Amino acid sequence: APSRSCIRLSVGSIDSSFATGPVTASRVSNVGGLVGTLDTTVTHAYATGRVTTRTDAIAALAASFGGTLTEVFAAGRVQGAPRSQKGGLTAESAGTTTSGYWDINTTRQATSIAGVGKRTRQLQAALPAGFGSAWAITKGFSYPYLNLLDNGMFASTLASVVHGRQVYTFVPIGQLEPTEYGSAPAHADAASFAAVVTMI
């Protein structure tokens, strides 16, 4: 669902999480697709929603962070005021990033304070360096997605299509919790991809 606020996280941690909805803000100083200001740890996470603000710092994942980012990526478009500090993955950093990536095509950001920029086809070709067993990918069709099948929820957004540098994502039939089927769905990846293309 669309979000109109940003998280400031200074205690605890974020693990195995994703955000796909757009984030808009007008009076928040740091705006990110997953978190605005981070002073702790984010592991195995991604954001694909558009991030829009006219304030200070804006990035597709975390605008400002002093903690640790590990095995993360972002793909949502970053739209800020001309003088705002923008970044593909992060905009301000005093922390540490390990295996962090952003899509330079869809975010429309060539730079980031942290992380490594990749083109869409590179992020969808194979798991990025440093991404471990928490992740899977449908090569050539999806971004990396989280293996969350044992939590009784959706696995994650598998069917992701980039059209005109805009990211479209949804939870397809092949990513529903397996107990919802009498038998495994046939050709789930192909059916999911076809459904996304039809929607667009």
Side-chain angles (χ1 to χ4, degrees):
S3 172
R4 299 193 181 278
S5 63
C6 255
I7 299 170
R8 179 184 179 99
L9 185 65
S10 57
V11 295
S13 62
I14 296 175
D15 185 31
S16 300
S17 299
F18 64 93
T20 61
V23 176
T24 59
S26 58
R27 298 180 182 174
V28 180
S29 60
N30 298 315
V31 182
L34 183 69
V35 64
T37 301
L38 171 73
D39 295 317
T40 184
T41 300
V42 174
T43 306
H44 307 132
Y46 66 91
T48 59
R50 179 186 302 241
V51 186
T52 308
T53 186
R54 298 189 61 80
T55 55
D56 299 339
I58 176 173
L61 187 80
S64 176
F65 84 100
T68 302
L69 299 175
T70 305
E71 293 185 43
V72 297
F73 79 90
R77 183 174 178 183
V78 174
Q79 291 181 285
R83 295 185 180 180
S84 61
Q85 187 170 352
K86 303 177 193 72
L89 188 69
T90 62
E92 299 175 346
S93 170
T96 303
T97 300
T98 303
S99 302
Y101 302 88
W102 81 94
D103 187 324
I104 61 176
N105 298 121
T106 57
T107 62
R108 303 188 190 191
Q109 300 299 312
T111 62
S112 178
I113 292 296
V116 176
K118 299 278 187 181
R119 296 191 179 279
T120 302
R121 59 182 169 75
Q122 293 175 308
L123 277 176
Q124 294 185 341
L127 287 178
F131 274 39
S133 61
W135 299 91
I137 192 169
T138 302
K139 294 180 181 180
F141 293 105
S142 79
Y143 288 113
Y145 59 90
L146 294 166
N147 283 317
L148 301 176
L149 287 174
D150 60 349
N151 69 356
M153 300 174 60
F154 295 126
S156 184
T157 49
L158 168 59
S160 53
V161 174
V162 176
H163 179 72
R165 295 196 293 179
Q166 173 67 38
V167 180
Y168 296 87
T169 59
F170 79 109
V171 178
I173 60 173
Q175 284 295 95
L176 292 175
E177 214 283 324
T179 59
E180 297 187 17
Y181 296 96
S183 61
H187 311 294
D189 292 348
S192 299
F193 183 71
V196 174
V197 173
T198 302
M199 289 172 64
I200 293 172

